[in-house]
């Protein structure tokens, strides 16, 4: 990357190639159309200026190489102003310096060490048997009851919350409430639209969860429930510096929300794909050893995160576009993961795809610390689905989330088939 040399080139590159489309609009009906649109734009506009509509203007980064540049260059593309278009602000996010997702290096490295200690291979491996048993029990119960289910309610919402409960040491009786709150956090809509009510509900849910973890930490310090992750984040160890109260609460909140919402969306995307591609379901039943690569392909093929926000800290050139200091920059990993210059036949679900350098879990300093735990859940659900059922079919319209941040399903009615 190089710095720009003035405003003349900047003016040249601020032409919006899609002036009649608002990328901040969360209307689910646009999802398939956006995939086609980004495919057309990537050829000549891997980076382009998206003019102000329901949100202020921003640079949209939709090419794979350019997205990787933004992810890896944290000094130039700062995460401290908010992680989504709805939370982006001209000043720093109030949680910056305390919550890992909105903190830049070098302070980010300290927080990452503290949080990452709970996602090392040994910890994840220790949780895997319980998650596997839980998933098998859920799916066996569905088989025994028969009939139609909403996969979101019956499986996709439950598994990540159970896993988060194990990781965070949460009281089992609280998990259903936590599921209901995290499901609301990333619902969104433009302020001028009636969907603004969803954004209000999202803000309220976020505040309630913040209060929950603050109370949990206070309870821990009175000697009850000292095994919870929020308490362990605050306490520290000989090898890991403890966090302040604010840091512990905010990062526990971030793990609860991020770990449940993105994995829930990934699970719904995977199952929706199987309902639309019965040949893939059968191919995996014939070759269950392909489950790990199929999980990676599912995350690439239907990335659960639509966009992530950054702000430029200096004038910089990206794909020939002159970005100025303080400009908002949004990467669209769903588009990057279908970039034809990286992935052969990117719109095809290929259970044997190799190599598969997808960035469904982000990349660089802000890569998802819970990637290993997410993979455990996805592999367990897919593996046991193939083991217990002979097929799956839709039995009603699937309903996409009303979100400009997450790609996933709010409702997914399906029927599983079993051998007679």
């Amino acid at each position: 990357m190089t710095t720009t040399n003035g405003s003349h080139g900047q003016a040249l590159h601020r032409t919006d190639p899609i002036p009649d489309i608002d990328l901040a609009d969360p209307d689910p009906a646009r999802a398939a159309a956006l995939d086609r649109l980004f495919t057309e734009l990537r050829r000549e506009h891997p980076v382009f200026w998206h003019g102000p509509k329901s949100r202020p203007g921003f640079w949209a980064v939709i090419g794979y190489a350019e997205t990787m540049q933004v992810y890896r260059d944290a000094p130039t593309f700062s995460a401290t102003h908010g992680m989504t278009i709805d939370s982006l602000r001209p000043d720093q996010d109030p949680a910056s310096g305390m919550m890992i997702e909105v903190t830049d290096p070098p302070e980010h490295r300290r927080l990452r060490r503290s949080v990452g200690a709970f996602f090392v291979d040994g910890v994840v491996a220790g949780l895997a048997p319980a998650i596997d048993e839980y998933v098998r029990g859920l799916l066996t119960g569905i088989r025994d009851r028969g009939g139609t289910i909403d996969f979101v309610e019956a499986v996709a919402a439950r598994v990540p919350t159970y896993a988060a409960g194990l990781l965070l040491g949460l009281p089992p009786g609280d998990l259903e409430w936590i599921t209901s709150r995290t499901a609301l956090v990333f619902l969104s809509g433009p302020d001028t639209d009636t969907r603004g009510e969803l954004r209000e509900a999202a803000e309220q849910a976020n505040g309630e969860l913040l209060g929950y973890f603050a109370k949990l930490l206070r309870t821990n310090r009175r000697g009850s429930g000292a095994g919870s992750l929020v308490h362990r984040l605050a306490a520290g160890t000989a090898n890991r510096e403890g966090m302040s109260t604010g840091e512990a609460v905010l990062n526990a909140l971030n793990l609860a929300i991020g770990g449940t919402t993105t994995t829930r969306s990934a699970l719904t995307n995977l199952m929706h794909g199987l309902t639309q591609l019965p040949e893939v379901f059968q191919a995996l039943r014939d070759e269950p050893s392909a489950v790990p690569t199929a999980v990676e392909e599912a995350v690439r093929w239907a990335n659960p995160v639509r966009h992530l926000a950054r702000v430029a800290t200096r004038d910089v050139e990206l794909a020939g576009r002159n970005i100025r200091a303080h400009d908002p920059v949004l990467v669209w990993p769903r588009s990057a993961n279908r970039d034809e210059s990286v992935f052969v036949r990117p719109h095809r679900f290929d259970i044997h795809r190799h190599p598969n350098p997808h960035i469904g879990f982000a990349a660089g300093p802000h890569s998802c610390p819970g990637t290993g735990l997410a993979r455990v859940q996805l592999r367990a659900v897919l593996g046991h689905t193939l083991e217990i059922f002979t097929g799956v079919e839709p039995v009603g319209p699937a309903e996409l989330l009303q979100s400009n941040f997450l790609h996933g399903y709010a409702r997914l009615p399906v029927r599983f088939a079993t051998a007679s």
Side-chain angles (χ1 to χ4, degrees):
M1 291 185 183
T2 59
T3 56
T4 63
N5 56 8
S7 61
H8 177 66
Q10 181 70 12
L12 278 176
H13 295 309
R14 280 196 185 268
T15 301
D16 188 344
I18 49 173
D20 298 325
I21 295 174
D22 182 3
L23 292 180
D25 185 350
D27 184 358
R30 302 179 325 124
L34 281 183
D35 284 341
R36 293 190 294 271
L37 174 67
F38 284 151
T39 296
E40 296 172 3
L41 287 171
R42 276 192 301 269
R43 300 186 185 100
E44 296 184 9
H45 302 283
V47 178
F48 63 90
W49 176 252
H50 188 62
K53 283 128 184 168
S54 64
R55 297 287 182 271
F58 56 83
W59 290 99
V61 181
I62 63 173
Y64 182 92
E66 296 77 16
T67 298
M68 288 295 284
Q69 285 181 285
V70 173
Y71 275 150
R72 288 172 171 167
D73 190 358
T76 300
F77 299 102
S78 174
T80 61
H81 294 260
M83 62 181 293
T84 74
I85 186 61
D86 286 338
S87 63
L88 200 60
R89 49 195 297 155
D91 55 343
Q92 288 196 341
D93 189 288
S96 177
M98 295 188 291
M99 189 168 76
I100 188 170
E101 289 297 328
V102 289
T103 299
D104 290 337
E107 188 64 10
H108 176 272
R109 287 191 284 272
R110 177 182 68 84
L111 298 173
R112 178 85 182 202
R113 282 195 299 271
S114 293
V115 171
F118 298 95
F119 290 99
V120 295
D121 291 343
V123 173
V124 173
L127 299 176
I131 293 171
D132 190 78
E133 181 180 357
Y134 179 78
V135 170
R136 181 172 175 78
L138 275 183
L139 294 175
T140 300
I142 290 169
R143 179 200 62 192
D144 293 344
R145 290 189 299 273
T148 298
I149 63 162
D150 175 5
F151 181 80
V152 178
E153 179 183 358
V155 180
R158 296 176 181 272
V159 175
T161 307
Y162 176 79
L166 290 178
L167 176 72
L168 298 171
L170 301 176
D174 294 349
L175 296 184
E176 185 173 344
W177 180 85
I178 291 171
T179 297
S180 68
R181 298 296 91 194
T182 59
L184 296 174
V185 169
F186 291 119
L187 298 181
S188 60
D191 291 332
T192 56
D193 197 286
T194 56
R195 289 186 295 267
E197 295 177 3
L198 294 177
R199 295 189 64 233
E200 292 180 8
E203 292 171 1
Q204 180 178 339
N206 190 75
E208 290 173 352
L209 286 164
L210 189 63
Y212 171 85
F213 283 106
K215 180 180 179 181
L216 189 65
L217 181 57
R218 291 195 301 270
T219 302
N220 291 159
R221 285 177 170 164
R222 291 197 296 268
S224 173
S228 75
L229 185 136
V230 67
H231 176 269
R232 288 178 284 153
L233 283 172
T237 67
N239 300 318
R240 177 182 55 79
E241 183 180 346
M243 290 181 168
S244 68
T245 297
E247 290 170 347
V249 169
L250 285 168
N251 284 285
L253 170 69
N254 184 54
L255 291 173
I257 294 174
T260 55
T261 57
T262 55
T263 306
R264 176 164 58 222
S265 291
L267 284 168
T268 65
N269 295 339
L270 169 62
M271 192 54 59
H272 181 259
L274 293 178
T275 66
Q276 303 303 303
L277 303 167
E279 69 279 8
V280 170
F281 192 104
Q282 187 56 51
L284 285 167
R285 276 183 55 82
D286 295 339
E287 189 182 351
S289 62
V291 163
T293 55
V295 162
E296 300 305 311
E297 178 69 340
V299 175
R300 181 203 69 83
W301 186 72
N303 201 107
V305 172
R306 293 187 185 275
H307 76 266
L308 284 169
R310 299 289 188 264
V311 170
T313 61
R314 64 183 178 96
D315 292 0
V316 65
E317 183 178 296
L318 184 64
R321 301 303 192 244
N322 297 325
I323 297 172
R324 298 297 293 271
H326 311 299
D327 279 353
V329 178
L330 268 64
V331 295
W332 297 80
R334 181 177 170 88
S335 173
N337 275 336
R338 294 197 175 199
D339 190 327
E340 296 84 350
S341 69
V342 178
F343 301 98
V344 177
R345 291 186 289 180
H347 300 291
R348 181 187 177 213
F349 192 119
D350 182 357
I351 65 172
H352 297 114
R353 187 177 295 277
H354 181 79
N356 188 356
H358 73 79
I359 47 177
F361 298 114
H366 285 279
S367 60
C368 176
T371 296
L373 189 59
R375 287 186 169 117
V376 165
Q377 297 170 70
L378 288 161
R379 291 174 183 178
V381 170
L382 180 56
H384 286 306
T385 296
L386 298 168
E387 169 194 321
I388 295 171
F389 302 108
T390 58
V392 60
E393 62 180 0
V395 289
E399 180 184 332
L400 278 166
L401 286 169
Q402 189 80 46
S403 175
N404 57 21
F405 176 67
L406 289 175
H407 175 85
Y409 291 84
R411 185 171 180 274
L412 187 59
V414 302
R415 180 183 297 112
F416 289 105
T418 57
S420 56

